[in-house]
Amino acid sequence: MTAKPHVRRPIVILGVLLTLLAAAATVRAASLWVASSASLSTAPASITSIQGGLAAEQARSANLQSQLDVLERSSHELQAALDAANNQVTTDQATAANLEASLTAAQTKLAKLEAGLKPGSTTTTQASGGGTTTPAYHDDGGGVDD
């Protein structure tokens, strides 16, 4: 079942030529596809532009660090001021409590003195040399007592 050599030879040559044409077409299509999808229309960045960008970012970083340092110092100052204010509030509260207690004592004493000075109340005084007492009477001129 073998074909004669004069028939077989043109078929093999035709097959090899078709295979070569298909391979060439495939390579050509692949090269066109790669060229269209990965074109280098923009040149890559130069080393000097990269170094310039790095220097700019380092300067920006240093500036931000100095701003952070300023904010940290301000934060510490604000914390110290807040602590001082809290201490002052505590002191003021203690002083207010003492003043409130003094005021209450003074109001009680004033109420006792006012009760002793109302018309009709009597107080006695004793002389240093004798045993006589005289009633004391206070008249405020008929005004209204508070």
Side-chain angles (χ1 to χ4, degrees):
M1 278 226 220
T2 62
K4 296 194 179 207
H6 70 287
V7 175
R8 187 177 56 184
R9 191 172 289 147
I11 293 174
V12 170
I13 292 174
L14 182 64
V16 169
L17 288 176
L18 288 175
T19 304
L20 288 174
L21 285 174
T26 303
V27 168
R28 175 78 176 148
S31 69
L32 290 175
W33 177 66
V34 168
S36 68
S37 65
S39 68
L40 291 177
S41 61
T42 305
S46 67
I47 194 73
T48 56
S49 68
I50 292 173
Q51 288 173 339
L54 176 63
E57 288 302 317
Q58 287 173 336
R60 181 174 171 260
S61 175
N63 184 24
L64 289 174
Q65 184 63 47
S66 68
Q67 289 177 358
L68 282 174
D69 293 341
V70 168
L71 287 175
E72 186 175 2
R73 282 192 301 273
S74 295
S75 174
H76 289 303
E77 290 171 3
L78 287 174
Q79 184 64 42
L82 182 61
D83 290 342
N86 283 335
N87 290 339
Q88 185 63 42
V89 166
T90 302
T91 302
D92 289 349
Q93 286 174 340
T95 302
N98 289 339
L99 288 174
E100 187 176 14
S102 296
L103 178 62
T104 302
Q107 286 175 336
T108 303
K109 187 175 180 181
L110 179 62
K112 287 179 183 178
L113 289 173
E114 285 177 344
L117 294 177
K118 286 189 180 185
S121 68
T122 59
T123 59
T124 60
T125 59
Q126 186 173 6
S128 62
T132 62
T133 62
T134 58
Y137 177 76
H138 177 339
D139 185 22
D140 63 351
V144 178
D145 288 339
D146 289 339

